[in-house]
Amino acid sequence: MRFTIERMRTLVLATGVVLVLALAAFLAVGRWKNVLNGRDLPKRLAQNVLQEASGVTYAEAHGGHMLFKIHASRAEQLNNDHELLHNVQIEFFGKDGNGVDSISGSNFEYDTKSGVGTAQGPVDIKLTRPPVAAASGTKPPEGPTAAGALHVKTSGLSFNKNTGVLTTAKKVNFTMESGNGTAIGAKYDSQRGFLVLDHAVQLTTTHGGKKVVVQAEHAELERNAQVCRLTNATIDFKGGQARGGWAKILFRKDGSAQRLDAADGFTLVTTDGGQLSSPVGFLLFGAHNLPRNGEMSGGVKLTSEGAGRQLLGSAPSAEMQFGAQGRLKQVAMSQGVEMRSETENGSGAKALRVSRTWRSPVAQMDFRDAGNGRIQPAELHGSGGVVVTTETQRGNATPLPARLTADQVTGQFGPAAQLTAIQGVGHAEMEQTAANGAREKATGDRIDARLAPAVEAAKKTPGAKNTAAEIQSAVLDGNVVLVEHPAQKAGAQAQSTMRATAGHATYAGADQRLELTENPRLDDGGLELSAKIIDVFEQAGEGFAHGDVKATWLETDAATGQDNKTSAPTAEPAGAKPAGLALGGQAPAHVVADEAHFMQAGGQAEFRGHARLWQEANSIAAPVIVLNRARQTVVARSTRQDTPVEAVLLARNEAATEMAPGAQTQKKPKEKSHSPSVIRVRGGEFTYSDAEHRAVMTTGALGPVVAEAGGATCTAHQVVLLLGPRSANNSATEVERVTASGDVVVISQGRRGDGAKLVYSGLTGDYALTGTPAKPPRLNDPSRGTVTGAALIFNSRNDSVSIEGRGHETRTETTAPRR
């Protein structure tokens, strides 16, 4: 809503002028009372004029100064105790002998018994008012107290000498240099100084080159108390209209307005659709009738309408402060404030509707100079708990809500009175919903948000990425907490709620990205992650972590996605689907990397740059490690030969009490005592499936896979590792079986074996090397030569080798030479 100096001043100037001038018209600013009542003019005429005479002149002076002079062309003494004067001209002089006012009429008749004098026919009154003396060094007052002539015309004027009351039921016309006015019926009590303009009061005047029209059903003025009262007044001026059911104006002695009280509804309307109203209010004025401050109460309402926009405001009470030239500077509202704006642009599928609502216990609005005598809202300050809500709708799509709250909030306004920026301090909170149904809530100690202008937002094409509520950007500081509820799709598995904390956060509405810094941490359904910087994308339901990434993947409940940090580890029930991840264990899995990319849909996290994952004693290191909670898989990849995927896994190593059935033993060596063994595997890609308890290492683009276990080294195209069941004591899951295939080469204790497939059993500690019918396995022993057979079996516990042939078994025992 736009307010101007003219709109605020004109209400007072116009109402003051019409009443002061009307009073001056009947009283000659108090002089008429002195002449007609104190001087008893008709009685003096009766005492000094006898019978009939022509060219009668009467003058009275006091203290050497002329007070008034009366001239009549003819005077008649009637036989009914009436006296009649013809062509009367009455001149009034000031105490200093200067300044001339005059009253003229064709016939004046006076009843000497009743004391009532009546003007027969029209009466012309000319008033010339001297300027009120101004204080030294100050500018003389303007408006109704300035020097100038006032011409009044009426008829049917009567005066009662006994009561001092002047009345007329006729129309009163008055003309002045800046305008003219009328009223129907008037009554003036000269003894009380009380003036009544009966009805149809109207004044048309010009102030500052602008026309002002004042209308009122009724007007009253107490000259002695300097008070004026108006009933159902309407003031029309360029740029708007003011209306009041009842108003009282208190004037100073110099005629300038001091205070305006309004009741029974006070409304200020502007041509651009603005309206400010309340049942009760008052204004205080300074010099030159300029408003200084005021108050409206009983339920203040503010409305403003324009092309495609509407502003509505309400508060039980409001206090107003005015600046230089009477411009509205500040409005302070209390006892529950609400401001609501509605904007709409475009039509059909491209239509954009934006609704914003401000609620606070108290609020203060500051205005700025908009040029050409206009002002516009500049800032809105609220305290005691401020809530700002936004709702955005494109076409017929579902409206998207947003909400911003804080203990104290300051909002900035842009063009067309649109709220464009918000700063909040204390328990700041920002919440919004994306087009896909995802909900995001961020809190902090302070918030600084920028709201997208509705006109700019309307230019975006439907379906563009920025389809959430129009928060353009935001900055949160201090104890930042982010909670994101992903969109839930019908029939799909429920996704977990993500929670993040940080010392600082920056939101970018263009891609709906929230950047967390200053020790950020994130918890996403079992994934706990920290980094130097964490970016969360609301619409896409994903995020990125940068720099010194550390993550912990906890065992989660498959149905709810909640972590089981407090649950005691138990052995897996028969037939139950495991809810763990990483490398088959129940203990938390840890990951470090340079960067990470996580997606809520499917619960996948990808770690890049010097990534390393470990769970108990089992670990993986690779340039890229991907964990998928929905699939319960781990994938590690590398494309560089200098940084292959490396997996280190515990292998089961139980003492064997007997050899494999059917094996021929040449010599039974003394068995050794072994500690738990470790299997190390290097390759291009490592894939683990928790559902199968199975891991596969393939070559990728890095050459053969290398596996090391029990003092033996094996190379192959692929290595498959089968893990045992979860341990009841929460220890690492162990490898029970290893199968290498494709151009297998195994080296152990100086011996070299070649074949197509190698199988290692953690239960027996044996390596079984096989080949194909065309190319059987071969073993080269530096001390015993080369042997071959259908299968070559290496025993890691006693360094023996068994050779299986056609239908029978032979055994060659080779022992590494002592060093």
Side-chain angles (χ1 to χ4, degrees), residues 480-483 498-505 514-524 527-536 544-545 548-552 598:
V480 177
V481 177
L482 168 69
V483 179
M498 183 179 67
R499 186 179 187 274
T501 61
H504 179 85
L514 187 66
E515 181 185 85
L516 304 171
T517 56
E518 297 182 12
N519 195 30
R521 296 180 179 275
L522 180 142
D523 186 343
D524 183 15
L527 174 63
E528 294 182 352
L529 183 144
S530 65
K532 292 182 178 179
I533 300 174
I534 298 178
D535 292 328
V536 180
F544 295 86
D548 195 21
V549 177
K550 299 176 182 178
T552 298
F598 50 91

Side-chain angles (χ1 to χ4, degrees), residues 154-310:
T154 187
S155 61
L157 180 67
S158 65
F159 170 72
N160 190 312
K161 177 183 70 68
N162 300 318
T163 62
V165 175
L166 293 89
T167 60
T168 181
K170 302 295 184 178
K171 184 177 182 180
V172 179
N173 296 277
F174 47 90
T175 304
M176 54 189 171
E177 182 179 358
S178 59
N180 55 80
T182 63
I184 303 298
K187 179 180 180 180
Y188 176 66
D189 188 334
S190 60
Q191 296 181 1
R192 295 170 53 202
F194 188 78
L195 171 67
V196 176
L197 299 178
D198 190 56
H199 63 280
V201 181
Q202 180 172 316
L203 170 69
T204 300
T205 184
T206 301
H207 181 79
K210 298 178 181 179
K211 183 178 179 181
V212 178
V213 178
V214 180
Q215 299 182 44
E217 289 186 3
H218 187 77
E220 299 177 357
L221 189 142
E222 294 182 47
R223 184 183 62 82
N224 296 330
Q226 301 289 324
V227 173
C228 170
R229 297 178 180 86
L230 291 172
T231 302
N232 293 331
T234 300
I235 305 170
D236 292 288
F237 49 90
K238 183 178 180 181
Q241 181 186 84
R243 300 190 298 265
W246 179 89
K248 182 177 73 173
I249 304 174
L250 176 64
F251 296 94
R252 298 182 180 90
K253 291 183 178 181
D254 63 1
S256 63
Q258 179 177 350
R259 179 184 175 107
L260 167 65
D261 289 277
D264 196 21
F266 173 73
T267 304
L268 180 65
V269 183
T270 64
T271 55
D272 59 0
Q275 180 171 307
L276 181 66
S277 63
S278 70
V280 181
F282 72 84
L283 286 174
L284 299 180
F285 298 88
H288 314 308
N289 290 321
L290 295 178
R292 186 179 62 197
N293 60 282
E295 181 177 320
M296 303 180 75
S297 58
V300 182
K301 293 184 179 180
L302 170 69
T303 62
S304 178
E305 295 183 0
R309 68 171 180 85
Q310 184 182 51

Side-chain angles (χ1 to χ4, degrees), residues 34 73 123 342 520 569 623 751 774 818:
N34 294 333
S73 62
V123 176
E342 300 276 354
R751 296 172 295 222
R818 297 173 180 252

Side-chain angles (χ1 to χ4, degrees), residues 649-734:
L649 307 173
L650 286 183
R652 182 168 295 181
N653 190 5
E654 298 180 357
T657 58
E658 59 182 5
M659 302 304 298
Q664 296 181 3
T665 304
Q666 294 180 346
K667 180 178 180 181
K668 185 177 182 180
K670 181 179 180 181
E671 295 190 1
K672 301 177 180 179
S673 175
H674 292 272
S675 60
S677 62
V678 174
I679 297 179
R680 302 177 185 273
V681 186
R682 298 190 302 274
E685 181 171 296
F686 177 90
T687 302
Y688 169 75
S689 171
D690 194 69
E692 301 175 347
H693 273 222
R694 180 174 178 266
V696 179
M697 180 76 81
T698 57
T699 59
L702 306 183
V705 177
V706 178
E708 298 176 350
T713 301
C714 170
T715 61
H717 293 168
Q718 175 179 285
V719 174
V720 178
L721 303 100
L722 185 64
L723 280 68
R726 288 183 176 83
S727 172
N729 58 7
N730 207 30
S731 60
T733 304
E734 298 176 343

